[in-house]
Amino acid sequence: MKEVVLDTETTGLSVKDGHRIVEIGCIELENLIPTKNKFHCYLNPERQVSEKAFEVHGYSDEFLSKQKKFSEVADDFLKFIGDKRLIIHNAEFDLAHLNNELKLFGKNKLHNEIIDTLTLARDKYPGSQVNLDALCKRFRIDNSKRTQLTALIGCDLLA
């Protein structure tokens, strides 16, 4: 069975405030083992990155202004994920942003089966920290290369 670990970075927290995606990272898994297939892109959000988001991922407005727009990568992204199950840490956040981007460009929202590892971690470890860094520490996964939050590194750690 093939699945896709997916993560995004954004200009801010809320789609309702007009925030947009600045990075999409995907790693394909086959029988829970990463394949060589990856999808990764930076995106021009056509708006400024909030200060808090910049502190998280470090992508400047200048850097992002030179990237492709979501509409230019949407078909390749959708082809990559196909109908595969998506594994996402905090799926509600990522799906809200992805479905907003798809809606802005006249595409249907995602209907893939979703596994939200944040929900799984909250159920398994109630009362404990369950962010990705805490889970890496719990499972002794080296996350030292993650000095900032980036979508592809997040995918790699989650995989």
Short mmCIF file of all heavy atoms in Angstrom, two decimals, residues 8-71:
data_model
loop_
_atom_site.label_atom_id
_atom_site.label_comp_id
_atom_site.label_asym_id
_atom_site.label_seq_id
_atom_site.Cartn_x
_atom_site.Cartn_y
_atom_site.Cartn_z
N THR A 8 2.95 21.18 5.27
CA THR A 8 2.98 22.49 4.63
C THR A 8 3.56 23.51 5.60
O THR A 8 3.57 23.31 6.81
CB THR A 8 1.56 22.97 4.24
OG1 THR A 8 0.78 23.17 5.43
CG2 THR A 8 0.87 22.01 3.30
N GLU A 9 4.02 24.60 5.04
CA GLU A 9 4.35 25.80 5.80
C GLU A 9 3.52 26.92 5.19
O GLU A 9 3.20 26.89 3.99
CB GLU A 9 5.85 26.12 5.74
CG GLU A 9 6.74 25.07 6.37
CD GLU A 9 6.47 24.80 7.84
OE1 GLU A 9 5.99 25.72 8.56
OE2 GLU A 9 6.71 23.66 8.27
N THR A 10 3.17 27.91 6.01
CA THR A 10 2.23 28.94 5.58
C THR A 10 2.69 30.35 5.97
O THR A 10 3.66 30.50 6.71
CB THR A 10 0.84 28.68 6.19
OG1 THR A 10 0.94 28.81 7.61
CG2 THR A 10 0.32 27.29 5.83
N THR A 11 1.92 31.34 5.51
CA THR A 11 2.21 32.73 5.87
C THR A 11 1.70 33.07 7.26
O THR A 11 2.04 34.12 7.81
CB THR A 11 1.57 33.71 4.86
OG1 THR A 11 0.14 33.52 4.88
CG2 THR A 11 2.11 33.53 3.47
N GLY A 12 0.86 32.23 7.81
CA GLY A 12 0.27 32.46 9.12
C GLY A 12 -0.68 31.33 9.46
O GLY A 12 -0.81 30.37 8.72
N LEU A 13 -1.38 31.48 10.55
CA LEU A 13 -2.17 30.37 11.07
C LEU A 13 -3.54 30.18 10.44
O LEU A 13 -3.99 29.06 10.28
CB LEU A 13 -2.36 30.54 12.59
CG LEU A 13 -1.09 30.41 13.43
CD1 LEU A 13 -1.40 30.65 14.90
CD2 LEU A 13 -0.45 29.04 13.23
N SER A 14 -4.21 31.26 10.06
CA SER A 14 -5.62 31.14 9.73
C SER A 14 -5.94 31.43 8.27
O SER A 14 -5.61 32.50 7.75
CB SER A 14 -6.44 32.09 10.62
OG SER A 14 -7.79 32.04 10.26
N VAL A 15 -6.63 30.49 7.64
CA VAL A 15 -7.15 30.69 6.29
C VAL A 15 -8.14 31.84 6.30
O VAL A 15 -8.21 32.64 5.36
CB VAL A 15 -7.82 29.39 5.78
CG1 VAL A 15 -8.58 29.62 4.50
CG2 VAL A 15 -6.79 28.30 5.60
N LYS A 16 -8.90 31.97 7.39
CA LYS A 16 -9.92 33.04 7.51
C LYS A 16 -9.28 34.42 7.44
O LYS A 16 -9.92 35.38 7.04
CB LYS A 16 -10.71 32.89 8.80
CG LYS A 16 -11.59 31.66 8.81
CD LYS A 16 -12.30 31.49 10.13
CE LYS A 16 -13.07 30.18 10.13
NZ LYS A 16 -13.60 29.85 11.43
N ASP A 17 -8.00 34.52 7.84
CA ASP A 17 -7.28 35.79 7.78
C ASP A 17 -6.53 35.95 6.46
O ASP A 17 -5.71 36.86 6.33
CB ASP A 17 -6.30 35.91 8.96
CG ASP A 17 -7.01 36.00 10.30
OD1 ASP A 17 -8.17 36.46 10.34
OD2 ASP A 17 -6.41 35.60 11.32
N GLY A 18 -6.79 35.05 5.53
CA GLY A 18 -6.18 35.15 4.20
C GLY A 18 -4.80 34.54 4.09
O GLY A 18 -4.09 34.79 3.11
N HIS A 19 -4.39 33.76 5.09
CA HIS A 19 -3.05 33.17 5.02
C HIS A 19 -2.99 32.08 3.97
O HIS A 19 -3.98 31.41 3.68
CB HIS A 19 -2.60 32.69 6.40
CG HIS A 19 -2.28 33.83 7.30
ND1 HIS A 19 -1.17 34.62 7.11
CD2 HIS A 19 -2.94 34.35 8.35
CE1 HIS A 19 -1.15 35.57 8.03
NE2 HIS A 19 -2.22 35.43 8.80
N ARG A 20 -1.81 31.91 3.41
CA ARG A 20 -1.62 31.03 2.25
C ARG A 20 -0.43 30.10 2.49
O ARG A 20 0.41 30.33 3.36
CB ARG A 20 -1.34 31.87 1.00
CG ARG A 20 -2.38 32.94 0.65
CD ARG A 20 -3.59 32.40 -0.09
NE ARG A 20 -3.26 31.70 -1.32
CZ ARG A 20 -3.09 32.28 -2.51
NH1 ARG A 20 -3.21 33.58 -2.66
NH2 ARG A 20 -2.80 31.55 -3.58
N ILE A 21 -0.31 29.10 1.65
CA ILE A 21 0.77 28.12 1.73
C ILE A 21 2.02 28.68 1.06
O ILE A 21 1.95 29.28 -0.01
CB ILE A 21 0.37 26.80 1.05
CG1 ILE A 21 -0.77 26.15 1.84
CG2 ILE A 21 1.56 25.84 0.95
CD1 ILE A 21 -1.32 24.88 1.18
N VAL A 22 3.18 28.47 1.70
CA VAL A 22 4.47 28.89 1.13
C VAL A 22 5.36 27.69 0.79
O VAL A 22 6.35 27.85 0.08
CB VAL A 22 5.24 29.87 2.05
CG1 VAL A 22 4.42 31.13 2.28
CG2 VAL A 22 5.62 29.22 3.38
N GLU A 23 5.02 26.51 1.32
CA GLU A 23 5.83 25.32 1.03
C GLU A 23 4.95 24.08 1.19
O GLU A 23 4.16 23.99 2.13
CB GLU A 23 7.01 25.23 1.99
CG GLU A 23 7.93 24.05 1.73
CD GLU A 23 9.03 23.88 2.76
OE1 GLU A 23 8.91 24.41 3.90
OE2 GLU A 23 10.01 23.20 2.43
N ILE A 24 5.13 23.14 0.27
CA ILE A 24 4.49 21.82 0.37
C ILE A 24 5.59 20.78 0.27
O ILE A 24 6.44 20.85 -0.61
CB ILE A 24 3.48 21.56 -0.77
CG1 ILE A 24 2.38 22.61 -0.78
CG2 ILE A 24 2.90 20.15 -0.65
CD1 ILE A 24 1.46 22.52 -1.99
N GLY A 25 5.57 19.84 1.20
CA GLY A 25 6.49 18.72 1.16
C GLY A 25 5.73 17.41 1.25
O GLY A 25 4.79 17.31 2.03
N CYS A 26 6.10 16.45 0.43
CA CYS A 26 5.47 15.13 0.44
C CYS A 26 6.53 14.05 0.23
O CYS A 26 7.41 14.21 -0.61
CB CYS A 26 4.46 14.99 -0.70
SG CYS A 26 3.07 16.12 -0.67
N ILE A 27 6.42 12.98 0.99
CA ILE A 27 7.27 11.81 0.82
C ILE A 27 6.36 10.60 0.67
O ILE A 27 5.49 10.36 1.52
CB ILE A 27 8.21 11.61 2.03
CG1 ILE A 27 9.19 12.78 2.14
CG2 ILE A 27 8.97 10.28 1.90
CD1 ILE A 27 10.09 12.73 3.36
N GLU A 28 6.57 9.86 -0.40
CA GLU A 28 5.77 8.66 -0.63
C GLU A 28 6.32 7.50 0.21
O GLU A 28 7.54 7.35 0.35
CB GLU A 28 5.82 8.28 -2.11
CG GLU A 28 4.97 7.07 -2.45
CD GLU A 28 5.13 6.66 -3.90
OE1 GLU A 28 6.24 6.17 -4.25
OE2 GLU A 28 4.18 6.84 -4.66
N LEU A 29 5.40 6.72 0.76
CA LEU A 29 5.76 5.51 1.50
C LEU A 29 5.15 4.32 0.79
O LEU A 29 4.05 4.41 0.25
CB LEU A 29 5.20 5.54 2.93
CG LEU A 29 5.53 6.72 3.83
CD1 LEU A 29 4.83 6.55 5.17
CD2 LEU A 29 7.02 6.86 4.01
N GLU A 30 5.86 3.22 0.81
CA GLU A 30 5.29 1.97 0.35
C GLU A 30 5.50 0.96 1.47
O GLU A 30 6.63 0.69 1.88
CB GLU A 30 5.95 1.48 -0.94
CG GLU A 30 5.26 0.26 -1.51
CD GLU A 30 5.64 -0.03 -2.96
OE1 GLU A 30 6.52 0.65 -3.52
OE2 GLU A 30 5.04 -0.96 -3.51
N ASN A 31 4.38 0.43 1.98
CA ASN A 31 4.42 -0.44 3.15
C ASN A 31 5.19 0.21 4.30
O ASN A 31 6.03 -0.42 4.95
CB ASN A 31 5.01 -1.80 2.79
CG ASN A 31 4.17 -2.52 1.77
OD1 ASN A 31 2.94 -2.50 1.85
ND2 ASN A 31 4.81 -3.13 0.78
N LEU A 32 4.93 1.49 4.50
CA LEU A 32 5.48 2.32 5.57
C LEU A 32 6.98 2.63 5.42
O LEU A 32 7.58 3.19 6.34
CB LEU A 32 5.21 1.70 6.95
CG LEU A 32 3.74 1.47 7.28
CD1 LEU A 32 3.60 0.79 8.64
CD2 LEU A 32 2.95 2.77 7.24
N ILE A 33 7.56 2.30 4.30
CA ILE A 33 8.98 2.58 4.03
C ILE A 33 9.07 3.70 2.98
O ILE A 33 8.43 3.60 1.93
CB ILE A 33 9.72 1.32 3.49
CG1 ILE A 33 9.53 0.14 4.43
CG2 ILE A 33 11.19 1.63 3.22
CD1 ILE A 33 10.17 0.29 5.78
N PRO A 34 9.84 4.76 3.26
CA PRO A 34 9.96 5.84 2.26
C PRO A 34 10.53 5.31 0.94
O PRO A 34 11.49 4.55 0.92
CB PRO A 34 10.93 6.82 2.91
CG PRO A 34 10.81 6.57 4.38
CD PRO A 34 10.55 5.08 4.50
N THR A 35 9.88 5.72 -0.15
CA THR A 35 10.41 5.43 -1.48
C THR A 35 11.29 6.62 -1.87
O THR A 35 11.50 7.53 -1.09
CB THR A 35 9.26 5.28 -2.51
OG1 THR A 35 8.67 6.56 -2.74
CG2 THR A 35 8.23 4.26 -2.06
N LYS A 36 11.78 6.61 -3.07
CA LYS A 36 12.59 7.74 -3.56
C LYS A 36 11.70 8.88 -4.08
O LYS A 36 12.19 9.93 -4.45
CB LYS A 36 13.52 7.28 -4.69
CG LYS A 36 14.47 6.18 -4.30
CD LYS A 36 15.62 6.70 -3.49
CE LYS A 36 16.62 5.59 -3.24
NZ LYS A 36 17.41 5.78 -2.07
N ASN A 37 10.38 8.65 -4.13
CA ASN A 37 9.46 9.64 -4.71
C ASN A 37 9.11 10.72 -3.69
O ASN A 37 8.58 10.42 -2.61
CB ASN A 37 8.18 8.95 -5.20
CG ASN A 37 8.45 8.00 -6.33
OD1 ASN A 37 9.38 8.19 -7.11
ND2 ASN A 37 7.64 6.95 -6.42
N LYS A 38 9.39 11.95 -4.07
CA LYS A 38 9.08 13.11 -3.24
C LYS A 38 8.46 14.20 -4.10
O LYS A 38 8.72 14.27 -5.30
CB LYS A 38 10.36 13.66 -2.59
CG LYS A 38 11.01 12.71 -1.63
CD LYS A 38 12.26 13.30 -1.01
CE LYS A 38 12.89 12.27 -0.08
NZ LYS A 38 14.03 12.79 0.65
N PHE A 39 7.65 15.01 -3.46
CA PHE A 39 7.13 16.22 -4.09
C PHE A 39 7.47 17.36 -3.15
O PHE A 39 7.17 17.29 -1.95
CB PHE A 39 5.61 16.14 -4.29
CG PHE A 39 5.03 17.40 -4.87
CD1 PHE A 39 4.95 17.57 -6.24
CD2 PHE A 39 4.60 18.43 -4.04
CE1 PHE A 39 4.43 18.74 -6.79
CE2 PHE A 39 4.08 19.60 -4.58
CZ PHE A 39 4.01 19.75 -5.95
N HIS A 40 8.11 18.39 -3.68
CA HIS A 40 8.48 19.53 -2.85
C HIS A 40 8.46 20.79 -3.67
O HIS A 40 8.94 20.81 -4.80
CB HIS A 40 9.88 19.33 -2.24
CG HIS A 40 10.29 20.47 -1.38
ND1 HIS A 40 11.24 21.38 -1.77
CD2 HIS A 40 9.83 20.88 -0.17
CE1 HIS A 40 11.38 22.29 -0.81
NE2 HIS A 40 10.53 22.00 0.16
N CYS A 41 7.89 21.84 -3.10
CA CYS A 41 7.95 23.14 -3.77
C CYS A 41 7.77 24.26 -2.76
O CYS A 41 7.14 24.09 -1.72
CB CYS A 41 6.89 23.24 -4.87
SG CYS A 41 5.21 23.16 -4.26
N TYR A 42 8.39 25.39 -3.09
CA TYR A 42 8.13 26.64 -2.39
C TYR A 42 7.12 27.38 -3.25
O TYR A 42 7.10 27.23 -4.47
CB TYR A 42 9.41 27.47 -2.26
CG TYR A 42 10.48 26.77 -1.47
CD1 TYR A 42 11.58 26.22 -2.11
CD2 TYR A 42 10.40 26.67 -0.09
CE1 TYR A 42 12.57 25.56 -1.40
CE2 TYR A 42 11.39 26.01 0.63
CZ TYR A 42 12.47 25.47 -0.03
OH TYR A 42 13.45 24.83 0.69
N LEU A 43 6.30 28.20 -2.61
CA LEU A 43 5.24 28.89 -3.34
C LEU A 43 5.22 30.38 -3.05
O LEU A 43 5.51 30.81 -1.93
CB LEU A 43 3.87 28.30 -2.95
CG LEU A 43 3.66 26.83 -3.28
CD1 LEU A 43 2.40 26.31 -2.61
CD2 LEU A 43 3.59 26.64 -4.78
N ASN A 44 4.85 31.13 -4.06
CA ASN A 44 4.61 32.55 -3.92
C ASN A 44 3.19 32.71 -3.38
O ASN A 44 2.23 32.44 -4.10
CB ASN A 44 4.76 33.24 -5.28
CG ASN A 44 4.46 34.73 -5.21
OD1 ASN A 44 3.96 35.24 -4.22
ND2 ASN A 44 4.77 35.42 -6.29
N PRO A 45 3.05 33.16 -2.13
CA PRO A 45 1.71 33.25 -1.54
C PRO A 45 0.95 34.51 -1.97
O PRO A 45 -0.22 34.67 -1.62
CB PRO A 45 1.99 33.27 -0.05
CG PRO A 45 3.32 33.94 0.05
CD PRO A 45 4.09 33.50 -1.17
N GLU A 46 1.61 35.38 -2.68
CA GLU A 46 1.01 36.63 -3.14
C GLU A 46 0.49 37.48 -1.96
O GLU A 46 -0.49 38.19 -2.08
CB GLU A 46 -0.11 36.36 -4.15
CG GLU A 46 0.39 35.58 -5.36
CD GLU A 46 -0.70 35.32 -6.36
OE1 GLU A 46 -1.38 34.28 -6.22
OE2 GLU A 46 -0.87 36.15 -7.27
N ARG A 47 1.19 37.38 -0.87
CA ARG A 47 0.92 38.20 0.32
C ARG A 47 2.14 38.11 1.23
O ARG A 47 3.02 37.27 1.01
CB ARG A 47 -0.34 37.75 1.05
CG ARG A 47 -0.23 36.36 1.67
CD ARG A 47 -1.20 36.11 2.81
NE ARG A 47 -0.82 36.90 3.97
CZ ARG A 47 -1.66 37.29 4.90
NH1 ARG A 47 -2.94 36.98 4.83
NH2 ARG A 47 -1.25 37.99 5.93
N GLN A 48 2.20 38.95 2.22
CA GLN A 48 3.34 38.95 3.13
C GLN A 48 3.25 37.82 4.15
O GLN A 48 2.17 37.39 4.53
CB GLN A 48 3.44 40.28 3.87
CG GLN A 48 3.87 41.43 2.98
CD GLN A 48 4.12 42.68 3.77
OE1 GLN A 48 3.40 43.01 4.70
NE2 GLN A 48 5.18 43.39 3.40
N VAL A 49 4.41 37.37 4.56
CA VAL A 49 4.53 36.36 5.61
C VAL A 49 4.45 37.08 6.96
O VAL A 49 5.10 38.11 7.16
CB VAL A 49 5.88 35.61 5.50
CG1 VAL A 49 6.09 34.65 6.65
CG2 VAL A 49 5.98 34.88 4.16
N SER A 50 3.66 36.55 7.87
CA SER A 50 3.57 37.15 9.21
C SER A 50 4.91 36.99 9.92
O SER A 50 5.70 36.09 9.60
CB SER A 50 2.46 36.50 10.03
OG SER A 50 2.81 35.18 10.38
N GLU A 51 5.15 37.86 10.88
CA GLU A 51 6.42 37.78 11.64
C GLU A 51 6.56 36.43 12.35
O GLU A 51 7.64 35.85 12.37
CB GLU A 51 6.50 38.92 12.66
CG GLU A 51 6.80 40.27 12.04
CD GLU A 51 6.96 41.37 13.08
OE1 GLU A 51 7.51 41.08 14.18
OE2 GLU A 51 6.53 42.50 12.80
N LYS A 52 5.47 35.97 12.93
CA LYS A 52 5.52 34.69 13.65
C LYS A 52 5.83 33.54 12.70
O LYS A 52 6.61 32.65 13.03
CB LYS A 52 4.22 34.43 14.40
CG LYS A 52 4.08 35.30 15.62
CD LYS A 52 2.93 34.87 16.48
CE LYS A 52 2.89 35.76 17.72
NZ LYS A 52 2.12 35.22 18.80
N ALA A 53 5.22 33.54 11.52
CA ALA A 53 5.49 32.47 10.55
C ALA A 53 6.94 32.54 10.08
O ALA A 53 7.60 31.51 9.93
CB ALA A 53 4.54 32.57 9.36
N PHE A 54 7.46 33.75 9.85
CA PHE A 54 8.85 33.90 9.44
C PHE A 54 9.79 33.34 10.50
O PHE A 54 10.77 32.68 10.18
CB PHE A 54 9.18 35.37 9.16
CG PHE A 54 10.62 35.58 8.77
CD1 PHE A 54 11.06 35.26 7.50
CD2 PHE A 54 11.53 36.07 9.70
CE1 PHE A 54 12.40 35.43 7.14
CE2 PHE A 54 12.87 36.24 9.35
CZ PHE A 54 13.30 35.93 8.07
N GLU A 55 9.47 33.56 11.78
CA GLU A 55 10.29 33.02 12.87
C GLU A 55 10.29 31.49 12.85
O GLU A 55 11.27 30.86 13.21
CB GLU A 55 9.78 33.52 14.22
CG GLU A 55 10.05 34.99 14.46
CD GLU A 55 9.35 35.51 15.72
OE1 GLU A 55 8.85 34.69 16.52
OE2 GLU A 55 9.30 36.74 15.88
N VAL A 56 9.18 30.89 12.41
CA VAL A 56 9.05 29.44 12.38
C VAL A 56 9.84 28.84 11.23
O VAL A 56 10.65 27.93 11.42
CB VAL A 56 7.56 29.02 12.29
CG1 VAL A 56 7.42 27.55 11.98
CG2 VAL A 56 6.83 29.38 13.58
N HIS A 57 9.61 29.35 9.99
CA HIS A 57 10.23 28.71 8.83
C HIS A 57 11.35 29.50 8.17
O HIS A 57 12.15 28.93 7.43
CB HIS A 57 9.18 28.30 7.79
CG HIS A 57 8.27 29.39 7.33
ND1 HIS A 57 8.71 30.53 6.71
CD2 HIS A 57 6.92 29.48 7.38
CE1 HIS A 57 7.67 31.29 6.40
NE2 HIS A 57 6.58 30.68 6.81
N GLY A 58 11.41 30.80 8.37
CA GLY A 58 12.52 31.60 7.85
C GLY A 58 12.43 31.96 6.37
O GLY A 58 13.41 32.44 5.79
N TYR A 59 11.27 31.78 5.74
CA TYR A 59 11.13 32.11 4.32
C TYR A 59 10.72 33.57 4.18
O TYR A 59 9.62 33.95 4.60
CB TYR A 59 10.11 31.20 3.63
CG TYR A 59 10.44 29.74 3.73
CD1 TYR A 59 9.45 28.81 3.98
CD2 TYR A 59 11.75 29.28 3.60
CE1 TYR A 59 9.74 27.46 4.09
CE2 TYR A 59 12.05 27.93 3.71
CZ TYR A 59 11.05 27.03 3.95
OH TYR A 59 11.34 25.70 4.06
N SER A 60 11.57 34.35 3.55
CA SER A 60 11.31 35.79 3.42
C SER A 60 10.35 36.07 2.27
O SER A 60 10.21 35.29 1.33
CB SER A 60 12.63 36.54 3.18
OG SER A 60 13.13 36.21 1.87
N ASP A 61 9.73 37.24 2.33
CA ASP A 61 8.85 37.68 1.26
C ASP A 61 9.61 37.77 -0.06
O ASP A 61 9.09 37.40 -1.11
CB ASP A 61 8.22 39.03 1.59
CG ASP A 61 7.27 38.96 2.77
OD1 ASP A 61 6.58 37.92 2.91
OD2 ASP A 61 7.20 39.93 3.54
N GLU A 62 10.86 38.23 0.00
CA GLU A 62 11.68 38.35 -1.21
C GLU A 62 11.92 36.97 -1.84
O GLU A 62 11.75 36.78 -3.04
CB GLU A 62 13.02 39.02 -0.88
CG GLU A 62 13.90 39.19 -2.11
CD GLU A 62 15.25 39.82 -1.78
OE1 GLU A 62 15.49 40.22 -0.63
OE2 GLU A 62 16.07 39.91 -2.71
N PHE A 63 12.32 36.00 -1.03
CA PHE A 63 12.55 34.64 -1.53
C PHE A 63 11.26 34.08 -2.14
O PHE A 63 11.27 33.53 -3.24
CB PHE A 63 13.04 33.74 -0.39
CG PHE A 63 13.06 32.27 -0.73
CD1 PHE A 63 14.02 31.75 -1.59
CD2 PHE A 63 12.11 31.42 -0.19
CE1 PHE A 63 14.03 30.39 -1.90
CE2 PHE A 63 12.12 30.07 -0.50
CZ PHE A 63 13.07 29.56 -1.36
N LEU A 64 10.16 34.19 -1.42
CA LEU A 64 8.90 33.60 -1.88
C LEU A 64 8.34 34.28 -3.12
O LEU A 64 7.69 33.64 -3.94
CB LEU A 64 7.87 33.61 -0.74
CG LEU A 64 8.25 32.73 0.45
CD1 LEU A 64 7.29 32.98 1.62
CD2 LEU A 64 8.26 31.26 0.07
N SER A 65 8.61 35.55 -3.29
CA SER A 65 8.09 36.28 -4.45
C SER A 65 8.64 35.74 -5.77
O SER A 65 8.05 35.96 -6.83
CB SER A 65 8.38 37.78 -4.34
OG SER A 65 9.77 38.03 -4.51
N LYS A 66 9.74 35.00 -5.71
CA LYS A 66 10.38 34.45 -6.91
C LYS A 66 9.93 33.01 -7.20
O LYS A 66 10.41 32.40 -8.14
CB LYS A 66 11.90 34.51 -6.76
CG LYS A 66 12.43 35.92 -6.60
CD LYS A 66 13.90 35.93 -6.25
CE LYS A 66 14.34 37.35 -5.94
NZ LYS A 66 15.61 37.39 -5.25
N GLN A 67 9.03 32.49 -6.38
CA GLN A 67 8.60 31.09 -6.52
C GLN A 67 7.33 30.99 -7.36
O GLN A 67 6.66 31.99 -7.62
CB GLN A 67 8.36 30.48 -5.13
CG GLN A 67 9.52 30.61 -4.17
CD GLN A 67 10.83 30.03 -4.70
OE1 GLN A 67 10.84 28.95 -5.28
NE2 GLN A 67 11.92 30.76 -4.51
N LYS A 68 7.01 29.77 -7.77
CA LYS A 68 5.78 29.53 -8.53
C LYS A 68 4.57 29.76 -7.65
O LYS A 68 4.64 29.64 -6.43
CB LYS A 68 5.75 28.10 -9.06
CG LYS A 68 6.77 27.82 -10.13
CD LYS A 68 6.65 26.38 -10.60
CE LYS A 68 7.65 26.11 -11.72
NZ LYS A 68 7.54 24.73 -12.21
N LYS A 69 3.45 30.04 -8.28
CA LYS A 69 2.19 30.17 -7.57
C LYS A 69 1.53 28.80 -7.47
O LYS A 69 1.83 27.90 -8.26
CB LYS A 69 1.28 31.15 -8.31
CG LYS A 69 1.87 32.55 -8.32
CD LYS A 69 1.04 33.51 -9.11
CE LYS A 69 1.76 34.85 -9.12
NZ LYS A 69 1.27 35.72 -10.16
N PHE A 70 0.63 28.65 -6.50
CA PHE A 70 -0.02 27.35 -6.29
C PHE A 70 -0.68 26.85 -7.56
O PHE A 70 -0.62 25.66 -7.87
CB PHE A 70 -1.04 27.43 -5.15
CG PHE A 70 -1.67 26.11 -4.84
CD1 PHE A 70 -1.04 25.19 -4.03
CD2 PHE A 70 -2.90 25.77 -5.40
CE1 PHE A 70 -1.61 23.95 -3.77
CE2 PHE A 70 -3.49 24.54 -5.15
CZ PHE A 70 -2.84 23.63 -4.32
N SER A 71 -1.31 27.75 -8.30
CA SER A 71 -2.01 27.34 -9.52
C SER A 71 -1.07 26.68 -10.52
O SER A 71 -1.50 25.86 -11.33
CB SER A 71 -2.69 28.54 -10.17
OG SER A 71 -1.74 29.54 -10.52
#
